[in-house]
Amino acid sequence: IPVDVFDLVIFGGTGDLARRKILPGLYRRFVAGQMTSDSRIIGAARGELSDDAFRKLVAESIDEFVPKDRRDEAMITEFLSRLHYVAIDAKGEGGWDALKNMMRDGVVRAFYFSVAPALFGDIALRLKSHGVADDAARIVVEKPFGRDLATAKALNATLAQHFHETQIYRIDHYLGKETVQNLMAVRFANILFEPLWKAEYVDHVQITVAETVSVDGRGAYYDKSGAMRDMVQNHMMQLLCLIAMEPPYHFDPDAVRDEKLKVIRALDPVPQQDIVRGQYLAGGGQGGYLEHCENPASTTESYIALKVHVSNWRWKGTPFYLRTGKRLRARASEIAITFREPPHSIFDDAKGWRENVLVIRLQPDEGMNLMVMIKEPGPGGMRLMQVPLDMSFAGVLGDEAEDIPDAYERLIMDVIRGNQTLFMRGDEVEAAWAWTDPIIEGWNATGAKPQGYDAGSSGPEDALMLMHRDGRRWREIR
Ligand code: NAD
């Protein structure tokens, strides 16, 4: 279904994120017929560039980041003709009036802030002072949204001076992933799971975001944040919220976000003994974290595992184990909900006894698996085995799976539709920092150093212990 006609301005339109994700994504939505041909995209950045030079740059991005069999020369030409460019320095006054004159009345105006967060305030201010943004305009802001509660509050306050909360779209691209939304469908559109979705039946939850990449090339930048700020406070927190939240009364932006906020507020402080931090060591022909971050004394973590408790009626007694890191064995993101064992086994085959696990895989191969116990086929008597009920999208949808929009594509279309359900509200972000800050302050106070872990492994030894001492184990990273 096509979205309304729009003028989308991308500040930082020549930057890495715009070239890798935003512009190729918009091209795909154009091909899909969602972006109609009377909509326009305006790149805005500091450098002087003609429309044609900008189009050339975007053509190169499409070449590089859209698979060959998804490219169509005629479509690309048509798409490029929808593109314009205006040179603007966020901190100066030049270019804004030209931008204002380009804006059309009666179409959706959206402004994507794909620039360093330090510039968000400057852009918000000038969009208003030069009359570029109208009262219905939408702004899209990228992560990181602050680096602690104080900076997030300040950023929210700055944006609120110029825009109403209903105009602000804080991107967390994890929420744009197909499986993440499917998680809500599975929970709230089936009678099967929801009755079991509580501490009484769920033994524990594991959330894993494992990456194989190092921070080489952006180490100095990464070193100022670390895994807790870069992954846990935002992406993993959002996943945790979607699993733990109560059913919203309606699939409506504020109803959903109210429920997520309640989860964040119910999170217990995490004691230091429930936290493991790590730094990858040199290996596999690559340097270690300390070399990559260009600070041999760095205590920033490239890996973190933590045990988290949601203190409410539904979840009391069910831990949520979170782990994420760089340079691990495989690139894999998943949520695993492990159910408790049946109260009594009528079978003698204790060896084969295992729990039901619902695995929601975000990458690679988005999809879901429900591990169930069945009888091992054959004449060997009543022996049990665990098999997956596979709900992978590639399997169910065949070729259509290829057309599932990437997270950025979907989220940008949601901005144009004016649907904030999959965007973080200001109070959610602040609550997440309010939980995160004391955790970081806690380890800073002890001066504890992260534990080294081998590149290509599944993380530090102590992270294994975090589970073992509770009689549980991490799922293998594959
Ligand atoms: P980048 O450095 O590649 O690009 C920055 C862009 O901003 C360029 O187009 C540059 O011309 C423009 N710019 C810089 N100073 C300006 C000024 N004073 N006025 C106007 N334009 C100016 O950065 P990026 O990697 O594209 O990241 C952009 C934002 O997206 C950042 O907030 C970043 O944290 C966030 N982000 C990036 C990624 C990614 O994969 N690159 C992922 C998630 C979030």
PDB file of all heavy atoms in Angstrom, residues 11-18 20-21 44-47 88-91 113-117 119-120 123 142-144 173 221 408, ligand 1:
ATOM      1  N   PHE A  11      19.369  14.861   6.720  1.00  0.00           N
ATOM      2  CA  PHE A  11      20.583  15.560   7.166  1.00  0.00           C
ATOM      3  C   PHE A  11      21.668  14.499   7.340  1.00  0.00           C
ATOM      4  O   PHE A  11      21.434  13.486   7.981  1.00  0.00           O
ATOM      5  CB  PHE A  11      20.330  16.309   8.483  1.00  0.00           C
ATOM      6  CG  PHE A  11      19.407  17.474   8.306  1.00  0.00           C
ATOM      7  CD1 PHE A  11      18.054  17.372   8.643  1.00  0.00           C
ATOM      8  CD2 PHE A  11      19.874  18.664   7.771  1.00  0.00           C
ATOM      9  CE1 PHE A  11      17.188  18.440   8.447  1.00  0.00           C
ATOM     10  CE2 PHE A  11      19.017  19.734   7.572  1.00  0.00           C
ATOM     11  CZ  PHE A  11      17.672  19.628   7.908  1.00  0.00           C
ATOM     12  N   GLY A  12      22.819  14.765   6.772  1.00  0.00           N
ATOM     13  CA  GLY A  12      23.843  13.712   6.753  1.00  0.00           C
ATOM     14  C   GLY A  12      23.592  12.763   5.593  1.00  0.00           C
ATOM     15  O   GLY A  12      23.970  11.593   5.642  1.00  0.00           O
ATOM     16  N   GLY A  13      22.951  13.278   4.536  1.00  0.00           N
ATOM     17  CA  GLY A  13      22.573  12.455   3.383  1.00  0.00           C
ATOM     18  C   GLY A  13      23.747  11.872   2.619  1.00  0.00           C
ATOM     19  O   GLY A  13      23.558  10.974   1.794  1.00  0.00           O
ATOM     20  N   THR A  14      24.960  12.345   2.903  1.00  0.00           N
ATOM     21  CA  THR A  14      26.132  11.780   2.229  1.00  0.00           C
ATOM     22  C   THR A  14      26.926  10.864   3.163  1.00  0.00           C
ATOM     23  O   THR A  14      27.978  10.356   2.799  1.00  0.00           O
ATOM     24  CB  THR A  14      27.084  12.906   1.746  1.00  0.00           C
ATOM     25  OG1 THR A  14      27.426  13.713   2.896  1.00  0.00           O
ATOM     26  CG2 THR A  14      26.410  13.793   0.712  1.00  0.00           C
ATOM     27  N   GLY A  15      26.412  10.666   4.360  1.00  0.00           N
ATOM     28  CA  GLY A  15      27.150   9.899   5.371  1.00  0.00           C
ATOM     29  C   GLY A  15      26.999   8.391   5.197  1.00  0.00           C
ATOM     30  O   GLY A  15      26.261   7.907   4.332  1.00  0.00           O
ATOM     31  N   ASP A  16      27.685   7.671   6.062  1.00  0.00           N
ATOM     32  CA  ASP A  16      27.739   6.204   5.987  1.00  0.00           C
ATOM     33  C   ASP A  16      26.353   5.570   6.140  1.00  0.00           C
ATOM     34  O   ASP A  16      25.952   4.719   5.344  1.00  0.00           O
ATOM     35  CB  ASP A  16      28.683   5.709   7.096  1.00  0.00           C
ATOM     36  CG  ASP A  16      28.732   4.206   7.186  1.00  0.00           C
ATOM     37  OD1 ASP A  16      29.235   3.584   6.228  1.00  0.00           O
ATOM     38  OD2 ASP A  16      28.239   3.645   8.180  1.00  0.00           O
ATOM     39  N   LEU A  17      25.616   5.981   7.142  1.00  0.00           N
ATOM     40  CA  LEU A  17      24.303   5.362   7.398  1.00  0.00           C
ATOM     41  C   LEU A  17      23.351   5.631   6.235  1.00  0.00           C
ATOM     42  O   LEU A  17      22.630   4.734   5.789  1.00  0.00           O
ATOM     43  CB  LEU A  17      23.711   5.907   8.703  1.00  0.00           C
ATOM     44  CG  LEU A  17      22.384   5.282   9.097  1.00  0.00           C
ATOM     45  CD1 LEU A  17      22.552   3.825   9.488  1.00  0.00           C
ATOM     46  CD2 LEU A  17      21.735   6.048  10.239  1.00  0.00           C
ATOM     47  N   ALA A  18      23.361   6.865   5.739  1.00  0.00           N
ATOM     48  CA  ALA A  18      22.479   7.214   4.619  1.00  0.00           C
ATOM     49  C   ALA A  18      22.838   6.372   3.401  1.00  0.00           C
ATOM     50  O   ALA A  18      21.952   5.840   2.717  1.00  0.00           O
ATOM     51  CB  ALA A  18      22.611   8.702   4.296  1.00  0.00           C
ATOM     52  N   ARG A  20      24.493   3.448   3.272  1.00  0.00           N
ATOM     53  CA  ARG A  20      24.367   2.001   3.437  1.00  0.00           C
ATOM     54  C   ARG A  20      22.929   1.541   3.624  1.00  0.00           C
ATOM     55  O   ARG A  20      22.535   0.489   3.132  1.00  0.00           O
ATOM     56  CB  ARG A  20      25.203   1.518   4.618  1.00  0.00           C
ATOM     57  CG  ARG A  20      26.625   1.154   4.235  1.00  0.00           C
ATOM     58  CD  ARG A  20      27.400   0.446   5.310  1.00  0.00           C
ATOM     59  NE  ARG A  20      27.221   1.029   6.621  1.00  0.00           N
ATOM     60  CZ  ARG A  20      26.588   0.409   7.610  1.00  0.00           C
ATOM     61  NH1 ARG A  20      26.120  -0.790   7.438  1.00  0.00           N
ATOM     62  NH2 ARG A  20      26.443   1.004   8.769  1.00  0.00           N
ATOM     63  N   LYS A  21      22.176   2.327   4.394  1.00  0.00           N
ATOM     64  CA  LYS A  21      20.854   1.835   4.799  1.00  0.00           C
ATOM     65  C   LYS A  21      19.691   2.674   4.282  1.00  0.00           C
ATOM     66  O   LYS A  21      18.744   2.153   3.706  1.00  0.00           O
ATOM     67  CB  LYS A  21      20.779   1.799   6.344  1.00  0.00           C
ATOM     68  CG  LYS A  21      21.644   0.737   6.973  1.00  0.00           C
ATOM     69  CD  LYS A  21      21.018  -0.614   6.792  1.00  0.00           C
ATOM     70  CE  LYS A  21      21.848  -1.722   7.394  1.00  0.00           C
ATOM     71  NZ  LYS A  21      21.304  -3.033   7.044  1.00  0.00           N
ATOM     72  N   ALA A  44      20.830  16.585   2.604  1.00  0.00           N
ATOM     73  CA  ALA A  44      21.364  17.839   3.145  1.00  0.00           C
ATOM     74  C   ALA A  44      22.616  17.502   3.940  1.00  0.00           C
ATOM     75  O   ALA A  44      22.573  16.649   4.835  1.00  0.00           O
ATOM     76  CB  ALA A  44      20.326  18.518   4.039  1.00  0.00           C
ATOM     77  N   ALA A  45      23.711  18.119   3.582  1.00  0.00           N
ATOM     78  CA  ALA A  45      24.944  17.916   4.345  1.00  0.00           C
ATOM     79  C   ALA A  45      25.828  19.125   4.123  1.00  0.00           C
ATOM     80  O   ALA A  45      25.454  20.063   3.403  1.00  0.00           O
ATOM     81  CB  ALA A  45      25.644  16.633   3.924  1.00  0.00           C
ATOM     82  N   ARG A  46      26.992  19.082   4.781  1.00  0.00           N
ATOM     83  CA  ARG A  46      27.823  20.268   4.795  1.00  0.00           C
ATOM     84  C   ARG A  46      28.476  20.569   3.449  1.00  0.00           C
ATOM     85  O   ARG A  46      28.586  21.712   3.053  1.00  0.00           O
ATOM     86  CB  ARG A  46      28.894  20.133   5.870  1.00  0.00           C
ATOM     87  CG  ARG A  46      29.228  21.433   6.516  1.00  0.00           C
ATOM     88  CD  ARG A  46      29.953  21.287   7.793  1.00  0.00           C
ATOM     89  NE  ARG A  46      30.646  19.999   7.929  1.00  0.00           N
ATOM     90  CZ  ARG A  46      31.465  19.734   8.920  1.00  0.00           C
ATOM     91  NH1 ARG A  46      31.691  20.645   9.835  1.00  0.00           N
ATOM     92  NH2 ARG A  46      32.052  18.577   9.023  1.00  0.00           N
ATOM     93  N   GLY A  47      28.876  19.512   2.741  1.00  0.00           N
ATOM     94  CA  GLY A  47      29.618  19.728   1.490  1.00  0.00           C
ATOM     95  C   GLY A  47      28.765  20.327   0.382  1.00  0.00           C
ATOM     96  O   GLY A  47      27.562  20.133   0.343  1.00  0.00           O
ATOM     97  N   ILE A  88      23.984  22.441   3.548  1.00  0.00           N
ATOM     98  CA  ILE A  88      23.597  23.110   4.794  1.00  0.00           C
ATOM     99  C   ILE A  88      24.595  22.756   5.874  1.00  0.00           C
ATOM    100  O   ILE A  88      24.934  21.579   6.037  1.00  0.00           O
ATOM    101  CB  ILE A  88      22.193  22.638   5.256  1.00  0.00           C
ATOM    102  CG1 ILE A  88      21.101  23.308   4.417  1.00  0.00           C
ATOM    103  CG2 ILE A  88      21.973  22.922   6.728  1.00  0.00           C
ATOM    104  CD1 ILE A  88      19.715  23.052   4.915  1.00  0.00           C
ATOM    105  N   ASP A  89      25.054  23.755   6.581  1.00  0.00           N
ATOM    106  CA  ASP A  89      25.839  23.467   7.781  1.00  0.00           C
ATOM    107  C   ASP A  89      24.881  23.597   8.953  1.00  0.00           C
ATOM    108  O   ASP A  89      24.287  24.660   9.158  1.00  0.00           O
ATOM    109  CB  ASP A  89      26.999  24.458   7.906  1.00  0.00           C
ATOM    110  CG  ASP A  89      27.875  24.146   9.115  1.00  0.00           C
ATOM    111  OD1 ASP A  89      27.402  23.405  10.014  1.00  0.00           O
ATOM    112  OD2 ASP A  89      29.010  24.625   9.163  1.00  0.00           O
ATOM    113  N   ALA A  90      24.743  22.521   9.717  1.00  0.00           N
ATOM    114  CA  ALA A  90      23.783  22.518  10.823  1.00  0.00           C
ATOM    115  C   ALA A  90      24.032  23.698  11.768  1.00  0.00           C
ATOM    116  O   ALA A  90      23.111  24.194  12.416  1.00  0.00           O
ATOM    117  CB  ALA A  90      23.882  21.202  11.589  1.00  0.00           C
ATOM    118  N   LYS A  91      25.281  24.120  11.848  1.00  0.00           N
ATOM    119  CA  LYS A  91      25.631  25.166  12.803  1.00  0.00           C
ATOM    120  C   LYS A  91      25.604  26.568  12.192  1.00  0.00           C
ATOM    121  O   LYS A  91      25.863  27.553  12.875  1.00  0.00           O
ATOM    122  CB  LYS A  91      27.013  24.896  13.392  1.00  0.00           C
ATOM    123  CG  LYS A  91      27.027  23.695  14.320  1.00  0.00           C
ATOM    124  CD  LYS A  91      28.364  23.568  15.022  1.00  0.00           C
ATOM    125  CE  LYS A  91      28.345  22.525  16.117  1.00  0.00           C
ATOM    126  NZ  LYS A  91      27.435  22.830  17.217  1.00  0.00           N
ATOM    127  N   PHE A 113      17.547  12.947  11.003  1.00  0.00           N
ATOM    128  CA  PHE A 113      18.797  13.475  11.559  1.00  0.00           C
ATOM    129  C   PHE A 113      19.856  12.370  11.539  1.00  0.00           C
ATOM    130  O   PHE A 113      20.108  11.726  12.548  1.00  0.00           O
ATOM    131  CB  PHE A 113      18.594  13.941  13.008  1.00  0.00           C
ATOM    132  CG  PHE A 113      17.679  15.139  13.184  1.00  0.00           C
ATOM    133  CD1 PHE A 113      16.849  15.586  12.173  1.00  0.00           C
ATOM    134  CD2 PHE A 113      17.649  15.826  14.401  1.00  0.00           C
ATOM    135  CE1 PHE A 113      16.005  16.680  12.348  1.00  0.00           C
ATOM    136  CE2 PHE A 113      16.812  16.924  14.595  1.00  0.00           C
ATOM    137  CZ  PHE A 113      15.986  17.350  13.564  1.00  0.00           C
ATOM    138  N   SER A 114      20.472  12.152  10.394  1.00  0.00           N
ATOM    139  CA  SER A 114      21.497  11.099  10.300  1.00  0.00           C
ATOM    140  C   SER A 114      22.882  11.740  10.434  1.00  0.00           C
ATOM    141  O   SER A 114      23.741  11.616   9.566  1.00  0.00           O
ATOM    142  CB  SER A 114      21.354  10.353   8.975  1.00  0.00           C
ATOM    143  OG  SER A 114      22.304   9.319   8.913  1.00  0.00           O
ATOM    144  N   VAL A 115      23.035  12.450  11.533  1.00  0.00           N
ATOM    145  CA  VAL A 115      24.284  13.165  11.824  1.00  0.00           C
ATOM    146  C   VAL A 115      24.653  12.896  13.278  1.00  0.00           C
ATOM    147  O   VAL A 115      23.859  12.306  14.012  1.00  0.00           O
ATOM    148  CB  VAL A 115      24.106  14.692  11.639  1.00  0.00           C
ATOM    149  CG1 VAL A 115      23.851  15.049  10.184  1.00  0.00           C
ATOM    150  CG2 VAL A 115      22.982  15.201  12.517  1.00  0.00           C
ATOM    151  N   ALA A 116      25.806  13.374  13.681  1.00  0.00           N
ATOM    152  CA  ALA A 116      26.217  13.185  15.073  1.00  0.00           C
ATOM    153  C   ALA A 116      25.184  13.831  16.004  1.00  0.00           C
ATOM    154  O   ALA A 116      24.666  14.918  15.706  1.00  0.00           O
ATOM    155  CB  ALA A 116      27.578  13.812  15.285  1.00  0.00           C
ATOM    156  N   PRO A 117      24.865  13.171  17.126  1.00  0.00           N
ATOM    157  CA  PRO A 117      23.857  13.704  18.051  1.00  0.00           C
ATOM    158  C   PRO A 117      24.155  15.127  18.532  1.00  0.00           C
ATOM    159  O   PRO A 117      23.226  15.871  18.854  1.00  0.00           O
ATOM    160  CB  PRO A 117      23.896  12.727  19.230  1.00  0.00           C
ATOM    161  CG  PRO A 117      24.413  11.459  18.647  1.00  0.00           C
ATOM    162  CD  PRO A 117      25.357  11.848  17.546  1.00  0.00           C
ATOM    163  N   LEU A 119      24.686  17.503  16.863  1.00  0.00           N
ATOM    164  CA  LEU A 119      24.068  18.461  15.936  1.00  0.00           C
ATOM    165  C   LEU A 119      22.537  18.461  16.000  1.00  0.00           C
ATOM    166  O   LEU A 119      21.891  19.294  15.354  1.00  0.00           O
ATOM    167  CB  LEU A 119      24.511  18.163  14.493  1.00  0.00           C
ATOM    168  CG  LEU A 119      26.006  18.250  14.201  1.00  0.00           C
ATOM    169  CD1 LEU A 119      26.297  17.793  12.770  1.00  0.00           C
ATOM    170  CD2 LEU A 119      26.504  19.683  14.411  1.00  0.00           C
ATOM    171  N   PHE A 120      21.948  17.512  16.748  1.00  0.00           N
ATOM    172  CA  PHE A 120      20.481  17.402  16.772  1.00  0.00           C
ATOM    173  C   PHE A 120      19.825  18.727  17.164  1.00  0.00           C
ATOM    174  O   PHE A 120      18.868  19.172  16.547  1.00  0.00           O
ATOM    175  CB  PHE A 120      20.007  16.320  17.747  1.00  0.00           C
ATOM    176  CG  PHE A 120      20.310  14.902  17.332  1.00  0.00           C
ATOM    177  CD1 PHE A 120      20.019  13.838  18.185  1.00  0.00           C
ATOM    178  CD2 PHE A 120      20.897  14.619  16.095  1.00  0.00           C
ATOM    179  CE1 PHE A 120      20.286  12.534  17.812  1.00  0.00           C
ATOM    180  CE2 PHE A 120      21.179  13.301  15.721  1.00  0.00           C
ATOM    181  CZ  PHE A 120      20.870  12.261  16.590  1.00  0.00           C
ATOM    182  N   ILE A 123      19.998  21.491  14.469  1.00  0.00           N
ATOM    183  CA  ILE A 123      19.094  21.254  13.334  1.00  0.00           C
ATOM    184  C   ILE A 123      17.647  21.529  13.761  1.00  0.00           C
ATOM    185  O   ILE A 123      16.898  22.211  13.048  1.00  0.00           O
ATOM    186  CB  ILE A 123      19.263  19.820  12.797  1.00  0.00           C
ATOM    187  CG1 ILE A 123      20.674  19.645  12.234  1.00  0.00           C
ATOM    188  CG2 ILE A 123      18.232  19.526  11.712  1.00  0.00           C
ATOM    189  CD1 ILE A 123      20.987  18.255  11.729  1.00  0.00           C
ATOM    190  N   GLU A 142      18.614   9.473  15.301  1.00  0.00           N
ATOM    191  CA  GLU A 142      19.388   8.241  15.344  1.00  0.00           C
ATOM    192  C   GLU A 142      19.958   8.022  16.740  1.00  0.00           C
ATOM    193  O   GLU A 142      19.968   8.900  17.578  1.00  0.00           O
ATOM    194  CB  GLU A 142      20.541   8.352  14.335  1.00  0.00           C
ATOM    195  CG  GLU A 142      20.246   7.704  13.001  1.00  0.00           C
ATOM    196  CD  GLU A 142      19.981   6.205  13.126  1.00  0.00           C
ATOM    197  OE1 GLU A 142      20.440   5.584  14.089  1.00  0.00           O
ATOM    198  OE2 GLU A 142      19.297   5.669  12.244  1.00  0.00           O
ATOM    199  N   LYS A 143      20.468   6.816  16.927  1.00  0.00           N
ATOM    200  CA  LYS A 143      21.188   6.554  18.164  1.00  0.00           C
ATOM    201  C   LYS A 143      22.615   7.085  18.012  1.00  0.00           C
ATOM    202  O   LYS A 143      23.057   7.244  16.883  1.00  0.00           O
ATOM    203  CB  LYS A 143      21.166   5.068  18.472  1.00  0.00           C
ATOM    204  CG  LYS A 143      22.205   4.246  17.684  1.00  0.00           C
ATOM    205  CD  LYS A 143      22.352   2.865  18.277  1.00  0.00           C
ATOM    206  CE  LYS A 143      23.693   2.289  17.986  1.00  0.00           C
ATOM    207  NZ  LYS A 143      23.903   0.934  18.450  1.00  0.00           N
ATOM    208  N   PRO A 144      23.357   7.313  19.047  1.00  0.00           N
ATOM    209  CA  PRO A 144      22.958   7.105  20.443  1.00  0.00           C
ATOM    210  C   PRO A 144      22.117   8.261  20.964  1.00  0.00           C
ATOM    211  O   PRO A 144      22.396   9.419  20.651  1.00  0.00           O
ATOM    212  CB  PRO A 144      24.306   7.058  21.172  1.00  0.00           C
ATOM    213  CG  PRO A 144      25.211   7.913  20.355  1.00  0.00           C
ATOM    214  CD  PRO A 144      24.759   7.760  18.933  1.00  0.00           C
ATOM    215  N   HIS A 173      16.597   0.439  15.390  1.00  0.00           N
ATOM    216  CA  HIS A 173      16.279  -0.376  14.215  1.00  0.00           C
ATOM    217  C   HIS A 173      15.924  -1.816  14.572  1.00  0.00           C
ATOM    218  O   HIS A 173      15.333  -2.517  13.773  1.00  0.00           O
ATOM    219  CB  HIS A 173      17.384  -0.297  13.155  1.00  0.00           C
ATOM    220  CG  HIS A 173      18.650  -0.969  13.548  1.00  0.00           C
ATOM    221  ND1 HIS A 173      19.628  -0.345  14.275  1.00  0.00           N
ATOM    222  CD2 HIS A 173      19.094  -2.213  13.318  1.00  0.00           C
ATOM    223  CE1 HIS A 173      20.617  -1.184  14.470  1.00  0.00           C
ATOM    224  NE2 HIS A 173      20.325  -2.322  13.898  1.00  0.00           N
ATOM    225  N   TYR A 221      36.031   5.669  18.913  1.00  0.00           N
ATOM    226  CA  TYR A 221      34.642   6.062  19.139  1.00  0.00           C
ATOM    227  C   TYR A 221      33.941   5.066  20.062  1.00  0.00           C
ATOM    228  O   TYR A 221      33.307   5.428  21.053  1.00  0.00           O
ATOM    229  CB  TYR A 221      33.922   6.163  17.785  1.00  0.00           C
ATOM    230  CG  TYR A 221      32.428   6.171  17.889  1.00  0.00           C
ATOM    231  CD1 TYR A 221      31.741   7.355  18.168  1.00  0.00           C
ATOM    232  CD2 TYR A 221      31.694   5.000  17.718  1.00  0.00           C
ATOM    233  CE1 TYR A 221      30.365   7.357  18.276  1.00  0.00           C
ATOM    234  CE2 TYR A 221      30.316   4.998  17.831  1.00  0.00           C
ATOM    235  CZ  TYR A 221      29.656   6.177  18.105  1.00  0.00           C
ATOM    236  OH  TYR A 221      28.292   6.171  18.235  1.00  0.00           O
ATOM    237  N   TYR A 408      15.197  -0.612   8.457  1.00  0.00           N
ATOM    238  CA  TYR A 408      15.175   0.826   8.177  1.00  0.00           C
ATOM    239  C   TYR A 408      14.048   1.198   7.215  1.00  0.00           C
ATOM    240  O   TYR A 408      13.380   2.214   7.373  1.00  0.00           O
ATOM    241  CB  TYR A 408      16.524   1.287   7.615  1.00  0.00           C
ATOM    242  CG  TYR A 408      17.515   1.581   8.708  1.00  0.00           C
ATOM    243  CD1 TYR A 408      18.419   0.622   9.124  1.00  0.00           C
ATOM    244  CD2 TYR A 408      17.525   2.820   9.341  1.00  0.00           C
ATOM    245  CE1 TYR A 408      19.320   0.879  10.139  1.00  0.00           C
ATOM    246  CE2 TYR A 408      18.425   3.091  10.353  1.00  0.00           C
ATOM    247  CZ  TYR A 408      19.320   2.120  10.750  1.00  0.00           C
ATOM    248  OH  TYR A 408      20.203   2.385  11.758  1.00  0.00           O
TER     249      TYR A 408
HETATM  250  P1  NAD B   1      29.062   9.901   8.962  1.00  0.00           P
HETATM  251  O1  NAD B   1      30.174  10.587   9.664  1.00  0.00           O
HETATM  252  O2  NAD B   1      29.380   8.879   7.940  1.00  0.00           O
HETATM  253  O3  NAD B   1      28.164  11.005   8.219  1.00  0.00           O
HETATM  254  C1  NAD B   1      27.830  12.201   8.822  1.00  0.00           C
HETATM  255  C2  NAD B   1      27.059  13.079   7.864  1.00  0.00           C
HETATM  256  O4  NAD B   1      26.780  14.313   8.518  1.00  0.00           O
HETATM  257  C3  NAD B   1      27.792  13.448   6.577  1.00  0.00           C
HETATM  258  O5  NAD B   1      26.846  13.483   5.513  1.00  0.00           O
HETATM  259  C4  NAD B   1      28.299  14.859   6.856  1.00  0.00           C
HETATM  260  O6  NAD B   1      28.440  15.654   5.684  1.00  0.00           O
HETATM  261  C5  NAD B   1      27.185  15.398   7.697  1.00  0.00           C
HETATM  262  N1  NAD B   1      27.621  16.491   8.554  1.00  0.00           N
HETATM  263  C6  NAD B   1      28.663  16.523   9.425  1.00  0.00           C
HETATM  264  N2  NAD B   1      28.735  17.718  10.044  1.00  0.00           N
HETATM  265  C7  NAD B   1      27.701  18.455   9.560  1.00  0.00           C
HETATM  266  C8  NAD B   1      27.239  19.770   9.818  1.00  0.00           C
HETATM  267  N3  NAD B   1      27.841  20.577  10.688  1.00  0.00           N
HETATM  268  N4  NAD B   1      26.135  20.166   9.158  1.00  0.00           N
HETATM  269  C9  NAD B   1      25.504  19.373   8.261  1.00  0.00           C
HETATM  270  N5  NAD B   1      25.892  18.127   7.994  1.00  0.00           N
HETATM  271  C10 NAD B   1      26.988  17.676   8.628  1.00  0.00           C
HETATM  272  O7  NAD B   1      28.111   9.333  10.096  1.00  0.00           O
HETATM  273  P2  NAD B   1      27.104   8.091  10.011  1.00  0.00           P
HETATM  274  O8  NAD B   1      27.849   6.856  10.296  1.00  0.00           O
HETATM  275  O9  NAD B   1      26.315   8.180   8.766  1.00  0.00           O
HETATM  276  O10 NAD B   1      26.170   8.332  11.274  1.00  0.00           O
HETATM  277  C11 NAD B   1      25.132   9.300  11.310  1.00  0.00           C
HETATM  278  C12 NAD B   1      24.317   9.129  12.585  1.00  0.00           C
HETATM  279  O11 NAD B   1      23.720   7.851  12.587  1.00  0.00           O
HETATM  280  C13 NAD B   1      25.123   9.220  13.876  1.00  0.00           C
HETATM  281  O12 NAD B   1      24.300   9.766  14.873  1.00  0.00           O
HETATM  282  C14 NAD B   1      25.407   7.782  14.198  1.00  0.00           C
HETATM  283  O13 NAD B   1      25.614   7.580  15.568  1.00  0.00           O
HETATM  284  C15 NAD B   1      24.117   7.144  13.748  1.00  0.00           C
HETATM  285  N6  NAD B   1      24.214   5.722  13.418  1.00  0.00           N
HETATM  286  C16 NAD B   1      25.047   5.294  12.419  1.00  0.00           C
HETATM  287  C17 NAD B   1      25.098   3.946  12.098  1.00  0.00           C
HETATM  288  C18 NAD B   1      25.972   3.448  10.982  1.00  0.00           C
HETATM  289  O14 NAD B   1      25.927   2.258  10.723  1.00  0.00           O
HETATM  290  N7  NAD B   1      26.736   4.279  10.312  1.00  0.00           N
HETATM  291  C19 NAD B   1      24.321   3.035  12.804  1.00  0.00           C
HETATM  292  C20 NAD B   1      23.474   3.497  13.817  1.00  0.00           C
HETATM  293  C21 NAD B   1      23.442   4.844  14.103  1.00  0.00           C
END
